[in-house]
Amino acid sequence: MKKWKLLPGLAVKGVIKNGTVYYPYIVACIFSVFTYFIFSSILLNDIMATLPYSTYAWMMLMLGKFLLVFILIPFVYYANSFLIKRRKKETGLYTLLGMERKHLTVLLFLETLFVYVLSVLGGIILGSVLAKLFFLLLLRLSALPVEAEFTFTWRAVLETVLFFAAVSLFTFLHGAAGIFRTRPVELLSGSKKGEKEPRFQIPGALFGVLVTLLAYKTVFDTKLDSTIFDSFFLSVLLAVVGTYLLFTFAGVAVLKVVRRRKRFYYRPENFITISGMYYRMKKSAAGLANICIFSTMVVITLTCTVTLYAGLEGIRLFSYPYEALLTYDSSGLSREEAEAKLTELSGKYGLTVSRLDTYADQWLECGQDGDRIFGIQQEKESCTLYFITLDDYNCLTGGNESLEERQILLYATGRKYGYDTMEFFGEEFTVKETKVTMLPWPYVGREYSGESYVLAVKDEQALEAMLELPGTVPGQNAVPSERLEKSGILLTGSEEDKAAFMKELKGWQQDFTEGFLTVTDGLEGWQVIHSMDGGLLFIGILFGLVFFMCLLLVMYYKQLSEGYEDQGSFSIMQKVGMSRQDIQRTVRRQMLMVFALPLLAALIHSAVGMCMVHQLMGIIQMFDTILLVKCSAGVALGFAGVYVICYGLTSKAYYRLIS
Amino acid sequence: MALLEVKNVKKIYTARFGAVKVRALDNVNFSVEEGEYVAIMGESGSGKTTLLNILASLDKATSGQVLLKGKDLAAVRSKELCAFRRDHLGFIFQDFNLLDTLNLRDNIFLPLVLAGEDYKEMEKRIQPLAKRLEIQDLLDKYPYEVSGGQKQRAAACRALITNPDLVLADEPTGALDSRASGKLLGLLEEVNREGQTILMVTHSIQAASHAGRVLFIKDGSVFHQIYKGERSYDAMYRMISDTLTVLQTEPVRQKEAIG
């Protein structure tokens, strides 16, 4: 009976005695609880339901929480198996001292409970303190009113407690199954069991290369269409499998081939390094693959986040180039009247007009084959042509272009048009291609739901004549849109004044009956985009942190296990005739190479992944490729730096063990 | 000139903060001639391992001299010690000390590789040796794939492959069952007959009976020695056994603690 009383104390002591492995694990658990609690608190807060435009932010967070679950479970599982492996010997000793399996199971249960209580308490306390801060961060990122009061919800606590109880129960069952499966003798020699030589190294390595290349090919073939998410998940899956295969087989296979070259292998400077690397690669394949995958995740998540933040203005302007845009029919409202109304209203609310553009456009969907434009055909590529007059063009761009007869100015928002002439429904025009900044048609730089060309034609007569051409060719499927006038305005002033301006403008539009008139509310559009992208940003920041923490813990555990492994071989090598300095030098070189590999692979993965990110960014209408390249280069560089620092910090644990 | 001369060797251990000093070796004197097979016996704590560590240049004597082929070990600079050990000494340990990261062949090659030996020469040397130690079929196995006796024979192979002046064996049979022990001891005896000098520390009478001479250490100094001469193995066994009885029933000299 007394034994049972002993167990709780033993459990707590077991955790404290193994502090080097348990403390980082508890910190990681606290952080996991913290992140989960933050998501949960924000999602369950009543405020989120009442704030205007918060729906998208809420949806993004919901998605984030869902993904978080899928990251946290395997992560906690991995960390936990490391702990169990490390402590096998201790468990074996307890068995010898007369503990039965049921006692061990209870001991494990108590330990799990101890860690669980500590991490849930820590995480929730930390979370309650910081939840408000993170909530403010979310509001700020989503441009939602910051005055909103954040309240502590018990439901979030309950949800967090239950979720982690489930996770802990899962890890406990896994550990308990381990206890029942192994014999005490095995437990005793547990952490020092020889590894089998992995078989099928070369085919395995080739398969790994194949799978990784397949992942890359999927990325390169991805187009911005409805299948993009399928390709995204497929390529992530392939890349993960490929990475595991590569780390398991390829490194070992390469070293094995090197080992066959005896004259090279049996040289003092190569021998220890190669054999050591061979052993390390064999043992640490999974750990290294994990490090590589988490590194890739950190780089890609942070790149997305940073690019999104830096490109927010561009995204907003892409969908809503003007804060208010009037679209009208010239029969009911003249350009002058529209501009006068906008100016008058902005004056009334004390707003300064920073830009006021008026233009008229007509668009036409056609088929394209090189420099030939014709009616839409099933099997031919399609494009959209926007027609404006040269005057409007000069007005929008602030340029001073002029045109000959039968000459058009062409600006492609996607890929370059690239021909000097255009055969437009049988008639030939000379083309002067330009690349300009025009608010209504922002530059995309690649195909985005078909090519778009803006054509500026000499004058109104020429434009009308040109748009009559499709009708003259029989059997062509091409009808130009109606000609509509547009007046867009950008304002400087306070948000309240802008809102009041918009309210009155909309009121005016509702009372307008003489013809067609619509108002596009850019202010509201910006809010919606901001809310959604703010939610994305928030997830990006928190996920970046979570991935980073996973990376740090995996790296630390890797260093620890390498340290335990090397303790023995160090003294042997010394006895056989290697000096301490020599050993330390080769070991340092091995460790550097071993830890440089995942970073290198992660950077290559990320570079390829950027092509996917480039496409994905198209979904939220972020088309600034140069910005993306800059951000990803910056993030990759910064990450490499942080990785090296992390390596330096965690390697202290290693050197502490071997010296 | 003797191959190994141990003159007035003393070793005093001091606790880190210097209060208690323990005399582990007190004036040890003996010498080993080339081609001899010497066993050093003594109880746990008698100073055997300290002595062996000093002979192996892994530890330094507090005073006294150890000369190997006339060269004072204390005079070898610490930077050259590793190379010195590699070139002149071979080691066999109780717990084998094979690297798990290497297969047996590479474990055996290790000292040669470190010495920068040519690969052809390594191959040439390992063949007869592996055959004689009966591990020629196991060379591609890893230490965790073979038995203790096989491990120890591989370790012996590693110790012998450099053609060392002196092989130091620290309880080589300590972790082996009697069959494996017998086999290893027989092999060592054979190697000795071919001219290899061996110095073995042990407290197994069985192991010591194979040696040509047995030194007994008690409380840090050489207490007695017996030569095998023309004696049979069994006679030697009895003699050692009797000496040990005397050694153990002698009134215990108080270990001095100089404070």
Side-chain angles (χ1 to χ4, degrees), chain A residues 192-197 259 262-263 265-269 271-272 275-276 278-279 282 568-582, chain B residues 58 79 82-83 85-86 91 93 95 97-103 105-107 109-111 113-120 122-123 142 144-145 158:
Chain A
K192 236 195 167 177
K193 207 163 60 184
E195 299 262 311
K196 279 253 156 50
E197 192 88 341
R259 281 211 315 190
K262 310 258 184 211
R263 279 171 177 282
Y265 174 51
Y266 290 111
R267 299 279 285 289
E269 61 272 25
F271 184 68
I272 299 289
S275 62
Y278 182 75
Y279 190 70
K282 209 169 70 178
S569 38
F570 242 60
S571 62
I572 298 176
M573 282 196 257
Q574 257 178 304
K575 282 176 187 159
V576 177
M578 246 184 123
S579 70
R580 216 183 152 68
Q581 289 85 344
D582 279 346
Chain B
L58 290 168
K79 264 193 168 173
C82 282
R85 270 203 292 273
R86 211 161 57 207
F91 294 92
F93 304 92
D95 49 0
N97 277 345
L98 294 174
L99 286 170
D100 272 337
T101 52
L102 300 176
N103 60 22
R105 181 197 309 279
D106 288 354
N107 261 301
F109 280 162
L110 184 62
V113 172
L114 292 175
E117 199 63 69
D118 188 59
Y119 174 67
K120 264 194 195 145
M122 296 189 214
E123 269 298 325
Y142 279 82
Y144 46 80
E145 293 174 300
R158 180 180 66 186

Side-chain angles (χ1 to χ4, degrees), chain B residues 35-55:
Chain B
E36 256 197 302
Y37 185 175
V38 178
I40 297 179
M41 291 199 80
E43 286 184 35
S44 302
S46 58
K48 287 183 317 234
T49 306
T50 308
L51 178 62
L52 196 79
N53 281 342
I54 291 172
L55 298 184

